[in-house]
Amino acid sequence: MMKAAINQIAAIEGLEMDPTHLALDVYALAQVFSDEKEFKDVIVSVVLAIKDVFKDGNIGDDLKYRLKGFKSYHFSSPYPEIKGDEDMRVVYPAYKNTIILAFGHRYIPTDFYQRFKSRV
């Protein structure tokens, strides 16, 4: 299940992402969405979100402080705890939207922004 998800995301044309970070982000999503169908649905939503970022690099919000120079695109998983909540994130550098620094759930298993700060 996880290997297929990693391959599905890695197959996005033009994607530049550290393979270790890709695997760690997929693993974190598997912890949040442990049901197989939910996990697969969330992976599809991540793929679509990354493709949205590729189409328009300005859709993300500018990040601040230590993360200045990066953008965060907020979107809803198919299973938000609160209907309409944008519970998912894709982070990429403002200068090149085909480099994906991180993706995942905003709060679970831990705070998204704290998880990926070491990647900057």
Side-chain angles (χ1 to χ4, degrees):
M1 181 168 81
M2 283 189 35
K3 186 175 180 180
I6 291 168
N7 290 338
Q8 188 176 355
I9 294 168
I12 298 171
E13 187 175 339
L15 176 69
E16 299 175 57
M17 185 172 186
D18 181 291
T20 301
H21 296 161
L22 172 58
L24 288 171
D25 290 350
V26 168
Y27 176 73
L29 287 176
Q31 290 180 317
V32 177
F33 301 98
S34 56
D35 176 81
E36 187 173 345
K37 180 190 178 328
E38 287 184 3
F39 178 73
K40 287 180 180 180
D41 291 345
V42 167
I43 294 301
V44 168
S45 73
V46 168
V47 168
L48 293 173
I50 291 172
K51 288 180 178 181
D52 286 345
V53 167
F54 284 12
K55 287 179 199 166
D56 180 6
N58 291 317
I59 62 174
D61 297 327
D62 291 326
L63 295 176
K64 299 176 187 176
Y65 312 112
R66 185 173 168 203
L67 302 173
K68 188 174 182 176
F70 289 90
K71 290 186 168 279
S72 178
Y73 176 51
H74 305 177
F75 63 102
S76 296
S77 73
Y79 307 99
E81 287 186 23
I82 301 168
K83 188 173 181 159
D85 185 30
E86 293 179 330
D87 58 343
M88 301 287 291
R89 304 289 189 263
V90 173
V91 172
Y92 56 97
Y95 68 89
K96 189 169 184 188
N97 61 323
T98 58
I99 299 173
I100 302 300
L101 183 66
F103 58 83
H105 192 279
R106 171 64 178 96
Y107 301 106
I108 308 169
T110 58
D111 181 273
F112 176 77
Y113 296 101
Q114 294 302 319
R115 259 194 340 263
F116 85 81
K117 273 186 181 177
S118 65
R119 299 179 187 181
V120 177

